[in-house]
Amino acid sequence: MNILGISAYYHDSAAALLRSGRIIAAAQEERFTRKKHDERFPRNAIQYCLAEANVGVHELDSIVFYDKPILKFERLLDTYLSYAPRGFRSFVMAVPVWLKEKLYLKRTLRQELAGLLSCKESELPPILFAEHHESHAASAFYPSPYETAAVLCLDGVGEWATTSAWLGRGSELTPLWQIDFPHSLGLLYSAFTYYLGFKVNSGEYKLMGLAPYGKPIYTQLIWDNLIDLKEDGSFRLNLDYFDYCAGLRMTNQKFSDLFGGPPRDPESVPTQRDMDLAASIQVVTEDIILKLARQLQKDTGAEFLCLAGGVALNCVANGRLLRENIFKDIWIQPAAGDAGGALGAAYAVYHTYRKQDRMYVPGVDQMQGSLLGPRYEQAEIVAKLDELGAHYTVVEPDQLSDTVADLLAREKVVGWFQNRMEFGPRALGARSIIADPRSSAMQSQLNLKIKFRESFRPFAPAVREEAVGRYFHLDRPSPYMLLVAQVHEDIQARPDQPLHGLAQLHQVRSTIPAVTHVDYSARVQTVSKSSNPEFHRLLSAFERKTGCSVLVNTSFNVRGEPIVCTPEDAFRCFMGTDMDYLVLGNVLLSKGAQKDVKIAARKGALALD
């Protein structure tokens, strides 16, 4: 049974193909179109999924969209009526789009799919619709390693729900309770993202990275004015301070007055106040999640928790949730945002609508390391490089890891392109830029010369799964880089003098300073031999040469660009940065050897994000 899941028309459109309950392929449209957070119909992602599964339209049993547009429109109208005449400008901008396109989404999807698949609309299988949070919950539970688990979904808003709780047992997923728009933890975090000068639905992880530079001195001000949190974790926002219901901004003048000034200019250097505000909303967010989780454990008695929705990408909160031991263990969908909704919708149809049993292996998740995107064979890589006039050498497969480990040990920065592309926002060693974490200059060099992004942003460590306890306070796998843990005291270093704010950036805090944040935390990715053998071999080779089992792992892109997908994308990005080497399969390219290449590579950030 083949089921195609689609998410689109808001942000991060994607497609996923499920065959008899097994994930065959999943990819975000942005990787193909090179438009970050591309929201359009995922034409390329669908084509890729069908090709990977080798199925045509007549072999598809169902197509499912990840939310219900009629319910969304109902929420939109209800909100505008509640706030009228405020919000008229926003109403005038939004409603025509709905009346022309989104209200008739089924028709639009049928037309797009028939055109894409070169068939008549009557030849398409039934197009179904799952609810937004049902898609998130299904993406979190069904591929998880648990037979029974509580499920918590947290995001900005779906149709109405902003927070929802579920119980998954076997093939059944039962809704328990939900908190509705406009009261939203995701929108509260996004309001501070906006106020601190970052882009909503994109810059939330920057806010999280800025928080350790500050002190949470505004926490009480937030509790006293912005949110009413009950003991059971339910909450209500004080909407007097927000503008997202009726306006085109997230916050209003009253919000600015409360925190002593207007929103931060996006490209200005963050002040201590900005850092303190980031620290404060991070603490508030974590406290709310903990209360919700405690109540959910009390309601269900479940030993395990699954998470999805955009807020579940807050790996600092995830790490704290794990340390609090409310649940025996937690599992987070690696594509926790809307892209993962495509996969969740397909799962929901397979188990709920088609009544199929769940494929479940105790202790093993079904995400295959989230390596679900396109793979390129050696012949394809070489042919493309020849076409581009690139200069390269082919390394014997059994010498590749040692060769690259040598380069890394000499503090060279390497673009690493292997295996199938990752599904979700994190690069996990298939489309990564890697470097030596022992270098005290590497964090600054990577941010300013390779990624062209803000200097304060930390980098994540990839560590051999077997060695994680030597470096971090983490006693279990973290394969999707969704848990933050403290760097182990045994490798910590204490600066001679206390500094504040961004001045802390230049202080060495451990024997792996390039991946140790200013509060001694790290966003850990563990790498296992079974889920990513190529990356595990490289980490092992680096350890043999240096005694260090850790590498810097950051996504293979520059600011404003999606993670690279094809060999050509990788070569273009390589030529547009100060990366020293590029490895595509077994092909090695040195920057110094590239002369007269047939590619126009602009140096610097592609766009502000």
Side-chain angles (χ1 to χ4, degrees), residues 215-235:
K215 296 184 185 308
I217 59 175
Y218 295 101
T219 304
Q220 198 56 51
L221 198 62
I222 294 172
W223 289 127
D224 289 345
N225 294 277
L226 299 188
I227 186 164
D228 177 20
L229 178 66
K230 304 298 185 190
E231 200 50 42
D232 63 0
S234 61
F235 57 84

Side-chain angles (χ1 to χ4, degrees), residues 385-410:
L385 291 175
D386 286 340
E387 182 186 317
L388 296 170
H391 301 271
Y392 59 85
T393 56
V394 177
V395 181
E396 290 298 320
D398 61 352
Q399 295 174 11
L400 182 69
S401 298
D402 283 331
T403 301
V404 178
D406 269 336
L407 298 173
L408 293 165
R410 288 192 278 127

Side-chain angles (χ1 to χ4, degrees), residues 13 22 41 60 101 138 142 314 337 371 396 412 417 482 513 543:
S13 68
R22 183 170 183 272
F41 177 73
L60 283 175
E101 299 173 7
Y142 288 123
N314 192 314
L371 303 180
E396 290 298 320
K412 302 300 181 187
F417 183 104
L482 286 169
E543 182 177 16

Side-chain angles (χ1 to χ4, degrees), residues 89-126:
R89 192 170 156 220
S90 171
F91 178 85
V92 167
M93 290 174 69
V95 168
V97 178
W98 275 91
L99 293 178
K100 276 177 66 179
E101 299 173 7
K102 294 187 177 180
L103 265 184
Y104 307 101
L105 192 58
K106 193 164 192 173
R107 184 183 67 190
T108 304
L109 286 171
R110 296 192 73 83
Q111 290 172 345
E112 292 277 12
L113 285 162
L116 178 65
L117 303 176
S118 302
C119 67
K120 297 176 182 173
E121 290 184 34
S122 59
E123 294 178 82
L124 292 168

Side-chain angles (χ1 to χ4, degrees), residues 260-322:
R264 169 182 164 259
D265 177 10
E267 289 308 302
S268 63
V269 176
T271 64
Q272 190 60 51
R273 185 194 72 131
D274 299 330
M275 299 174 208
D276 293 340
L277 279 166
S280 301
I281 189 58
Q282 179 63 36
V283 169
V284 167
T285 300
E286 292 170 21
D287 287 348
I288 294 169
I289 291 174
L290 291 180
K291 283 211 169 188
L292 287 165
R294 286 196 178 94
Q295 185 62 41
L296 186 52
Q297 202 286 326
K298 192 175 165 185
D299 290 347
T300 62
E303 289 185 299
F304 302 104
L305 175 68
C306 299
L307 291 163
V311 180
L313 293 171
N314 192 314
C315 47
V316 178
N318 296 341
R320 189 172 166 202
L321 181 57
L322 184 67

Side-chain angles (χ1 to χ4, degrees), residues 12 25 77 116 127 274 394 410 450 465 499:
D12 297 307
L77 282 184
L116 178 65
I127 297 180
D274 299 330
V394 177
R410 288 192 278 127
I450 310 289
E465 187 178 287
L499 295 177

Side-chain angles (χ1 to χ4, degrees), residues 408 416 422 426-430 432-438 446 459-472 474 478-483 512 514-516 522-528 532 534-540 542-543 546 548-555:
L408 293 165
W416 179 251
E422 299 90 343
R426 305 283 180 242
L428 300 170
S432 292
I433 297 171
I434 51 177
D436 187 345
R438 301 169 303 158
L446 284 170
F459 287 103
V463 57
R464 277 197 315 112
E465 187 178 287
E466 304 88 331
V468 64
R470 280 168 30 205
Y471 296 90
F472 308 102
L474 191 63
S478 173
Y480 304 120
M481 210 185 275
L482 286 169
L483 294 172
I512 45 173
V515 292
T516 304
R523 182 161 45 94
V524 181
Q525 179 202 0
T526 58
V527 180
S528 73
N532 195 339
E534 297 89 351
F535 202 29
H536 190 272
R537 274 198 296 275
L538 177 61
L539 283 159
S540 299
F542 187 70
E543 182 177 16
T546 65
C548 178
S549 310
V550 181
L551 285 171
V552 178
N553 178 13
T554 184
S555 55

